[in-house]
């Protein structure tokens, strides 16, 4: 599947911008079922999600 095809399929899914989630910074806390996870944007522009 090409990247364009994958993006077309993803349109039906909720879309969240990581930069907005982090408030323009590099880290956000996401809670799932009362458990906090840390979402971090690295200097290389990758996302890391840790418990």
């Amino acid at each position: 599947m090409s990247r364009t095809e994958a993006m077309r399929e993803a349109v039906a899914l909720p879309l969240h911008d990581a930069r907005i989630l982090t408030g323009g910074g590099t880290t956000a806390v996401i809670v799932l079922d009362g458990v906090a996870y840390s979402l971090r944007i690295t200097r290389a522009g990758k996302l890391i999600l840790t418990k």
Side-chain angles (χ1 to χ4, degrees):
M1 175 182 305
S2 75
R3 182 175 177 173
T4 302
E5 290 169 326
M7 290 176 73
R8 282 189 195 133
E9 286 187 22
V11 170
L13 300 174
L15 178 66
H16 304 283
D17 187 310
R19 302 264 181 220
I20 293 173
L21 288 175
T22 60
T26 59
T27 306
V29 175
I30 299 172
V31 177
L32 175 65
D33 297 332
V35 179
Y37 295 82
S38 175
L39 177 70
R40 184 170 62 91
I41 303 172
T42 68
R43 282 183 264 170
K46 308 287 184 181
L47 290 176
I48 298 176
L49 182 65
T50 56
K51 192 170 185 182

